[in-house]
Amino acid sequence: MLSLSRLILRGVVAVFALTGAMGHAAPMAQLAQLAPEQPGAVVQGRPRIGLVLSGGGARGLAHVGVLKVLERERIPVDVIAGTSMGAIVGGLYASGLSAQDVETEVLKLDWNNVFATRVDRRELSQRRKEQDFEVSPLIEIGIGGDGLKAPLGSVSSRGLEAHLRRLTLSARQVKDFDQLPTPFRAVATDMETGKAVILHDGDLATALRSSMSVPGVFSPLEVNGRILGDGGLVNNTPVDVARAMGAQRLIVVNIGTPLSKRDTLNSLTGVTAQMINILTEQNVQLSLRTLKSDDILIAPEMAGMSSADFDKAREFMLRGELQAEALVLRMQDLKLSEEQYAAWKAQRKQREASPAPLAFVRFEGTEITQPQVRSDVLASQPGQLFDLAKAEHDITVLAATGDYQRTDYRLVKGPQGEGLVFDLEDKPWGPDYLQLGLDFSADNRGRSAFNLKLVHNRHWLDSHGSEWRNFVRLGTAPALGSEWYRPMDWRLPDGLSGFVAVSGLTQRRTLSYFSNPNGRLSANIDRDVTGLNLEAGVNWRELGEWRLGWIREDWRDAPSLTAADYNLPQSVQRWNEQGLRLRMVFDQLDHAYFPTRGWRLEGRWVQGHRYQSSTAEASQSGAMRYLDLQGQFAKSWGLHTLQGYARLGLSDGAQPLVPRWGLGGFQQLSGYAPFQVSGDQVALLRLGYQVRITDLALTRGVFVGGSVELGNAWDHVEDVWRGAKRKGFSLYLGADTAFGPVYAAVVTSPGVGSTVMLFVGRP
């Protein structure tokens, strides 16, 4: 969720500020060791110019505007030192990109997805998608022998890493950063010792990502045995690093976060953030005091703009450009002639490597999973020419499994030639995961319900990728379920893959039964269902799945309250159903709740036998079959979304006294209570509209919407859709939060009147 990412970046990122240093700069001995062979040498009869770019999160995008002015004024840059976002902008420029190139790439980015905690929902397997309807995917903790474990980062860096990898491909064969078109250094922090780490060689994309490993936001990276965090913690404005590279004149761009005002110091978070910002500012000032009279300090004015405002990229770059232009006169002595500058630009032109067939494709980093078992689902294969789009698709496929904290790729040289390595990092809090969920509803008619849900998932039980899923629900409708799921080793064309599954579920719910939907309550029925399923299925890539198997369900209906004028048998009724079930689900919705685009189809067909017994009546048995089909779509135009939904439930054969299907509840014939309209056959059509009105902390957005519904229930198949139809209408204000959907709604039906509802979770 963009708003969740933004909140975290405003909080944790602001606390660490991406700008600060809580330690000291690297020792001068280390800096001298990393300097070029001839520090201080004059370049073409002019002073060696160093560019220093500080950290600052989104504020660091102002560096791009400064670079544009330097290019426009023909001011060369001989060495670059950067921290955090300054390292990213500086590293991209050092790799051979122009300022215009960097600006174009920044403006192309969809920041909603760059920091998304997982891949687009439509890219997930159907198994992962279905879990979204039970609990929010954004809250996940690990469990192990040493207790509960929280994620190391609250925001995913996968999108950022993919962009860095793509933009630095031209420099993939450069291991010494002095050999880049412009010599470069990035500053990171050794999270074990607290010392500065000056990154001067290795993989450029990894170095840039390491420098921006903000603790609590982005997980730290392990590089060459060291756990690296954000460089701003120790040296946010690396003036000394640039001097050690031989720079004689410095252009320093400081865009650090300023100290907060009095009105923010009324909370623990605000005071803590201010304390760290004070330490940060002191460290930055120590670096700035070392500047000489002929060095240039550029400090863009960015009042009211935070380190988390990535959606203001254009404005940040403009602020940097304006401040650099204001100081152009002080930099005139650094300016080159058109011929000299053209020669300088030619020297730093990107050196593109000719593509060659991949000599190998392998996986590194994971100790828990066996991704090579499923390598055939990847688009990149040995013998093919490297394709950027395929590689990015493949890391998305790997990330969609939910097993990895990081998914990255590298092109590396081997004895047989250049190959593709997928760099994977297992989630340190896996492979056992816990998720919590909540369902709550209340209305002005005095009806309420509450359920607390706990889901446990164990990934990679064996080398085949088997999984074990457990589900517990406590409250108004208690339930307990478990499923063992095993992928098969065989594969079919077009991404088809098989699996087998064994599952069981027991649950109880209280049904409010109305013999006349517009009349009074006839009875409350406590319905218990226990089922066992043995299934084999086929996944079709990320589109969906088919399942076919044997099922057995044991049912029990027990009246707990019966109206005096309704003649319902007071006996407990029991029956079991068993037979074959064909089930399919295809889901391409972008979100489980408040979808804005995509579609979903699901259906069940059961053919089998039903055996019924009662404490007051003779036993009976017979054939039974039923069909349940549902479909929905969503299509958007800007902030406006049109949604459609249809359902058809048909059944035949022996039936219980209380019908199988029920309608009622929010957008299921709004105005009626759940199951108030019931029958052995049901049909429903719904047309809905929603508009996103604003963002809110911890949400994907706030929506206003409504729906019109038409449907009914019938006793016999031949009567479906005959006669009068019941109508329902809803108007709601909702938010898709990190804890699940939240709604406040007014629902009405001509048959039963209006109801005001408030609920969290599944409607």
Side-chain angles (χ1 to χ4, degrees), residues 34 107 124 137-138 200 224 246 284 310 410 427 651 697 731:
L34 300 177
L107 294 178
L124 300 176
L138 297 181
H200 61 94
N224 296 329
V284 170
F310 285 93
R410 291 177 287 119
K427 288 181 176 178
S651 59
L731 181 65

Side-chain angles (χ1 to χ4, degrees), residues 166-421:
R166 174 170 55 85
L167 296 175
T168 59
L169 273 179
S170 63
R172 65 183 183 273
Q173 296 180 357
V174 177
K175 300 306 177 185
D176 182 351
F177 295 169
D178 282 335
Q179 303 304 314
L180 290 169
T182 300
F184 171 72
R185 300 287 187 272
V187 180
T189 301
D190 188 320
M191 299 301 290
E192 293 182 291
T193 66
K195 295 181 179 179
V197 177
I198 312 303
L199 300 171
H200 61 94
D201 61 5
D203 180 74
L204 180 59
T206 301
L208 303 185
R209 165 64 176 83
S210 299
S211 185
M212 197 174 170
S213 298
V214 186
V217 179
F218 296 129
S219 61
L221 293 187
E222 183 173 348
V223 180
N224 296 329
R226 294 182 295 193
I227 299 176
L228 301 184
D230 191 274
L233 298 173
V234 289
N235 193 358
N236 192 59
T237 312
V239 170
D240 49 356
V241 177
R243 292 206 192 281
M245 297 175 71
Q248 296 172 306
R249 294 280 300 277
L250 295 182
I251 300 173
V252 180
V253 187
N254 178 35
I255 42 80
T257 304
L259 299 182
S260 303
K261 302 299 182 182
R262 178 190 293 260
D263 58 0
T264 66
L265 305 180
N266 54 6
S267 67
L268 177 62
T269 301
V271 172
T272 303
Q274 184 76 332
M275 178 184 67
I276 296 177
N277 283 342
I278 290 173
L279 296 175
T280 295
E281 186 62 20
Q282 290 175 345
N283 183 278
V284 170
Q285 291 304 318
L286 286 175
S287 293
L288 297 183
R289 288 189 193 121
T290 67
L291 295 181
K292 301 176 181 178
S293 59
D294 57 352
D295 294 329
I296 294 96
L297 174 62
I298 301 174
E301 172 58 39
M302 291 181 283
M305 302 174 70
S306 82
S307 58
D309 290 333
F310 285 93
D311 55 343
K312 298 179 180 178
R314 191 182 298 274
E315 186 174 353
F316 278 124
M317 291 187 286
L318 178 60
R319 296 287 184 95
E321 190 173 351
L322 291 174
Q323 188 63 32
E325 286 176 342
L327 295 172
V328 161
L329 291 179
R330 289 200 56 198
M331 297 185 281
Q332 286 301 298
D333 60 325
L334 304 177
K335 193 170 184 177
L336 298 181
S337 67
E338 292 186 7
E339 295 77 10
Q340 291 174 319
Y341 192 73
W344 177 82
K345 286 180 63 178
Q347 291 179 353
R348 65 181 307 273
K349 187 176 181 181
Q350 292 190 26
R351 298 179 288 271
E352 295 286 349
S354 301
L358 295 174
F360 56 86
V361 175
R362 67 171 184 255
F363 304 88
E364 293 182 356
T366 177
E367 298 179 357
I368 298 174
T369 70
Q370 300 287 331
Q372 64 274 10
V373 174
R374 306 174 184 174
S375 61
D376 59 313
V377 303
L378 302 182
S380 302
Q381 296 293 327
Q384 298 178 349
L385 289 177
F386 172 75
D387 186 297
L388 175 62
K390 288 182 178 180
E392 292 185 340
H393 167 269
D394 291 340
I395 61 172
T396 298
V397 169
L398 292 166
T401 64
D403 295 319
Y404 306 113
Q405 179 171 253
R406 292 181 56 249
T407 58
D408 195 5
Y409 67 89
R410 291 177 287 119
L411 287 169
V412 299
K413 282 284 190 181
Q416 295 81 31
E418 192 172 54
L420 181 62
V421 172

